Amino acid sequence: MAKIGVFTCHCGENIGGTVDCAQVAERSRALPGVVHSVDYKYMCSDPGQTLIKDAIRDQGLTGVVVAACSPRMHEPTFRSAVAEAGLNPYLCEMANLREHCSWVHPKGEATTDKAADLVRVMVEKVRHNTPLQPIRVPVTKRALVLGGGIAGIQAALDIANTGHKVVLVERSPSIGGHMSQLSETFPTLDCSQCILTPRMVEAARHPNITLMTYAELEKLEGFIGNFKATIRRKARQLDEKLCTGCGLCTTKCPQKNIKDEFNEGLGTRPAIYVPFPQAVPNKPVIDKANCTFYKTGKCKVCEKLCPTKAIRFDQEDELVTLDIGAIVLATGFKVMRTDQFPEFGYGEYADVLDGLQFERLASASGPTLGAIRRPSDGQEPETVVFVACSGSRDRAKGVPYCSKVCCMYTAKHAMLYKHKVHHGKAYVFYMDIRSGGKDYDEFVRRAIEEDDVKYIRGRVSRIYREDGKLVVKGADTLQGGAPVEIRADLVVLATAVQSQDGAEALAQKLHVSYDPYKFFAEAHPKLKPVETNTAGIFLAGACQAPRDIPETVAQASGAAAKVAALFSRDELTREPVVAVVNRLPAPEYSWCVGCFLCQSACPYQAIGAEEIRGRDGVLQKTVAQVNPGLCQGCGTCVATCRTKAIDIQGFSNEQVFAELMTL
Amino acid sequence: MDTFEPKITAFVCNWCTYAGADLTGTSRIKYQSNVRVLRLPCTGRIDFMLLAKAFAQGADGVIVSGCHPNDCHYTSGNYHARRRWMVYRGLMDFLGIDVRRVTFSWVSAAEGARWAELVDEVTSRVRELGPYTEYQELALTGVE
Amino acid sequence: MRIGYYPGCSLLGSSREFGESVEAVAEALGLELDQVPDWNCCGASSAHVLDHHLALALPARILAQAEAAGLTEILAPCAACYNRLASAREALGGDPALAAEIAGISGAPFNGGVRVLNILEFLTRFQTEIQARVTAPFRHKVACYYGCLLVRPPKVVQFDRPENPASMDRLAQAAGAEPLAWNFKTECCGAAFSVTRTDLVARLSGLIVADAVRSGAEAILVACPMCHSNLDMRRPESNAGMGTDHQIPVLFITQALGLAMGIDPVRLGLQRHMVPAVLAGV
């Protein structure tokens, strides 16, 4: 027997000014199932809420309709009030008499009629509401951070410092990411490695962080709070427990001239190598593709010389499966490369470099120990041209977006060059200068005013080599488009920031959405920048979009906070507006026929299969089953189901049709 | 006939159109009061039999409105709705239901003015088309 | 095998040798060139700077004539004619209202049923056949000059790479030549300023010739009458303007291919050049 209470709010003059609230309350009293109907000035106020709670207790109400503002405003308010009075909160609904009625229609009979109709609709719905319990899902309090650059390191440290366990997985042999390749960082010109390495060491030493380098995610199963991650620890060909990091093997390896990834191809390394001196962990790895032993079966010099006998040529990859509660994606970015710039001769002329390569030249630990030298002949360049926006903001190159960091790092590069080569001439060809961060614009002005970097507003159309010089042809649009030709010794292209190699495949493994440029998609561009649409997977850093270090660190901490919130309880509580597949007694068991159309319609992979067995254990039927932990309650499956076997709690077919039938 | 006021039923998604309609209210933009809004989590939830029921209940016009393609809160619900609509439209036409009486649109949470515009446009159009009595007659044909 | 053929004005006039060499190579490959019936001027440079409708109507009529004659593809060796035809085809294809308007002006509706090929695209299709017929390999170092209209705009042409094209280089290689990497492959020669600002053409074309010489080329290969005209006919002006005396000959790609296939130089029109086509073995 339904005993519904209707509470009509005046909201001061907001509703009362155009809708005759007393009339609405009067008419509602006559509706089937309604035993109590009042109107009041301010329902959301304390006395207003008390009215509701008292009525529930005194009259034993089985359902409540608050006719007031939008449920998007106060549904949580009234649901808590109702819960306090001992009634299941999901038996309380709101009729929107303000945003959808009083505020948009003139005072009059038609408006009051509409208000009454809206209340009647919600009363009918509530008559069919069932009490719902929030869904509880257990939480494994271990986080997985994918990516060991500054974003991953920061997120790992923050989560670890809240007392929870973290596994930090990095696919290259050392953590550090691109930040470890930088020479100095803007706007302070802090030495990048000096500020990064302490964090790297802290991450390695932290009791709550397990570091897995030279490892990648192989497979992910499960859902928020209950993931199962399989990590492939690639074989370093080393017993890490025995290796002391002495580095003797790297000095004796006969293969010395392999192009070095850390130095972006400007330097060389041996086949057994540590990527850079400050690597964490400071243990080598054998590059099987270039190792003499793996190619010809001869050598093993490193094994013979190792003082602790740590080299293991027969080591295989290892697969490790972990229980994980939350994941932070921090896989970073790459820069646009060679084959995109034939007009600049990039890849063809040794003296045309990209931004990361210039960082390595300028870096004290780089191939030239910090001296700016032309890769072609080792000479110091007298004239350097920096080309901003190489590839970015260019639809023809497939990158319509702005890469955000280049204006700043180009100014930085020009300044570093001038600091090292005082008499050198530096030119920057730019379209706009985007320096919006704290102290950023001042930094660019410093390059122009103190370091005498010449900024030319125009694009470069062509670079070609003539008599050992690079002829840069551009235009100066602030001088009426006058053509400019500079004979440079070195050219640095600020190439576009792009999503990391393998980002798409990883996103598909995790069921995380991504944009057309393969940057991972946030749940809401404004209000949910660190969450993805997949519950339990968070984002940090440039894997989401080009960004600089301060923002990356901030976002990483934000993601860590979300993870900490998730781990702050042993159980995860979720709104029970989820889909449920119906179950019936034998022999039907369910209206579901097992067509699984719902499964393909579900954007969250929340629908799995359930085998229904009889008492004798014989399989009767395989039907769909919704994972309440993953289901977000959109209802697409409900509309797809041909037999109406699946329904949404809170917006069930019964409820919606009841609302409709009363109109 | 000149006092005929059409009855318009609207099925809207919670995240975009419902919120957009809220914004219309907050902005105090006025529109005709014939519409009755039914809130659903997503347009993907809309079983098109609901539309048929709406007409059976005497609606003269129906609006279905959700998030713009690409913006669905649940990622793809609006795509499902759109595809269903394409098929359903053909079916409605085949059955003899006046397709002009159903409007399928996208209104985002930021488009308060658009919601008002949409309601006014549909209400005026349906008012011109007149009361939808043919639907009641449709239900009877075939039962001789 | 037949293919539609649009010679345009220059192949019958100032670049007669281009037309002659195209026909000779086609004949050697056993291809029949079917001229578009009652063809008109494509509008070249003048129409599109004067009037947008005229610029579309002239090539639209040509395409309509070709379509009406049952041709599915037409070869337009002159790069400008090619670019006008391809651009018109693209503009009309994407805009039915515009297409109807233009059909009203040209008096001939075009339904998108004809594709336009430039000479490089056409020859690339027969690269293997050409290579098979080489009897006197063109053993010279060549600088292939593409100019501006053969590979740009990328959306219209959709052939080869706009910034560093390689199709002509590959064809030259098939003929036994050694194509060189040089800097001015797609740099501007001055184009139609040949008449109004000959001084500009002298400088721009002079720079191209100078770079070709510097790279060690024995000949410059082109596939466009304008390119040829500026690099060849305007040589005296460019030599005078730059204070040089470069005598490097400029050949059409079809002439180089023709020579490699053993066709008589006079048939290929080599005697019509301003800068004598003096090369070892020619």
Side-chain angles (χ1 to χ4, degrees), chain A residues 342-343 348-349 397 461-467 473, chain C residues 161 163-164 181-187 207 211 214:
Chain A
E343 67 272 33
E348 206 187 313
Y349 305 141
K397 298 238 189 292
S461 66
R462 194 87 167 77
I463 298 177
Y464 59 87
R465 192 168 47 200
E466 197 180 76
D467 303 326
K473 286 173 71 164
Chain C
R161 302 173 311 179
E163 297 288 0
N164 190 4
W182 63 302
N183 295 322
F184 277 64
K185 259 187 186 178
T186 52
E187 296 304 285
L207 289 170
D211 194 67
R214 196 183 310 118

Side-chain angles (χ1 to χ4, degrees), chain A residues 358 361-362 368 370-374 378-381 384 416-417 420-421 490:
Chain A
F358 188 80
L361 275 188
T368 57
I372 310 294
R373 297 255 178 270
R374 285 163 40 114
Q379 295 299 308
E380 192 176 73
V384 181
L416 291 180
Y417 167 67
K420 292 179 196 249
V421 183
L490 186 71

Side-chain angles (χ1 to χ4, degrees), chain A residues 17 164 194 313 361 377 424 450-451 481 490 512 592 635:
Chain A
H164 298 297
C194 306
F313 278 100
L361 275 188
D377 57 12
E450 286 177 36
D451 292 313
L490 186 71
V512 163
C592 174

Side-chain angles (χ1 to χ4, degrees), chain A residues 590-612:
Chain A
S590 173
W591 286 338
C592 174
V593 298
C595 75
F596 291 103
L597 258 182
C598 53
Q599 191 179 55
S600 39
C602 178
Y604 300 99
Q605 281 83 35
I607 299 182
E610 189 191 353
E611 287 180 347
I612 301 179

Side-chain angles (χ1 to χ4, degrees), chain A residues 358-403:
Chain A
F358 188 80
E359 292 281 351
R360 295 315 304 148
L361 275 188
S363 170
S365 63
T368 57
L369 301 179
I372 310 294
R373 297 255 178 270
R374 285 163 40 114
S376 61
D377 57 12
Q379 295 299 308
E380 192 176 73
E382 307 274 303
T383 306
V384 181
V385 169
F386 299 88
V387 182
C389 290
S390 295
S392 308
R393 305 177 64 188
D394 191 343
R395 260 170 236 276
K397 298 238 189 292
V399 179
Y401 56 84
C402 166
S403 293

Side-chain angles (χ1 to χ4, degrees), chain C residues 18-261:
Chain C
F18 192 17
E20 287 166 338
S21 55
V22 167
E23 282 163 29
V25 169
E27 194 188 295
L29 291 171
L31 302 166
E32 268 191 65
L33 300 173
D34 236 342
Q35 272 204 37
V36 176
D38 191 29
W39 57 263
N40 52 275
C41 164
C42 71
S45 315
S46 356
H48 74 76
V49 301
L50 280 177
D51 183 274
H52 184 56
H53 287 97
L54 181 64
L56 288 173
L58 287 168
R61 185 177 174 281
I62 299 163
L63 292 167
Q65 292 289 109
E67 194 175 50
L71 298 166
T72 53
E73 279 185 327
I74 45 177
L75 164 66
C78 165
C81 300
Y82 161 72
N83 208 291
R84 290 313 311 145
L85 288 166
S87 299
R89 181 179 184 274
E90 208 242 347
L92 298 178
D95 190 341
L98 180 64
E101 199 190 341
I102 297 295
I105 299 171
S106 66
F110 170 60
N111 301 309
V114 183
R115 256 201 87 224
V116 194
L117 299 177
N118 71 34
I119 190 69
L120 294 178
E121 210 179 338
F122 172 73
L123 292 171
T124 301
R125 217 185 255 184
F126 298 102
Q127 198 167 303
T128 341
E129 286 87 331
I130 292 170
Q131 195 157 13
R133 285 170 175 68
V134 168
T135 52
F138 192 78
R139 284 194 227 285
H140 300 285
K141 293 194 178 25
V142 295
C144 293
Y145 177 67
Y146 292 77
C148 56
L149 296 168
L150 288 167
V151 291
R152 305 203 287 249
K155 222 169 49 128
V156 168
V157 173
Q158 299 198 5
F159 170 70
D160 212 345
R161 302 173 311 179
E163 297 288 0
N164 190 4
S167 49
M168 203 192 319
D169 295 68
R170 283 192 286 265
L171 286 166
Q173 210 168 31
E178 187 190 327
L180 299 170
W182 63 302
N183 295 322
F184 277 64
K185 259 187 186 178
T186 52
E187 296 304 285
C188 178
C189 68
F193 285 115
S194 187
V195 175
T196 49
R197 287 293 303 271
T198 318
D199 59 314
L200 285 180
V201 168
R203 189 169 73 82
L204 292 170
S205 296
L207 289 170
I208 296 169
V209 171
D211 194 67
V213 169
R214 196 183 310 118
S215 70
E218 296 165 66
I220 300 176
L221 295 185
V222 298
C224 158
M226 187 87 254
C227 303
H228 193 271
S229 168
N230 281 353
L231 295 176
D232 175 74
M233 190 177 80
R234 291 295 180 203
R235 185 69 61 83
E237 284 86 347
S238 62
N239 271 337
M242 312 260 299
T244 48
D245 185 33
H246 296 306
Q247 295 300 324
I248 180 172
V250 185
L251 272 71
F252 283 100
I253 181 65
T254 38
Q255 291 176 320
L257 294 177
L259 287 171
M261 294 199 282

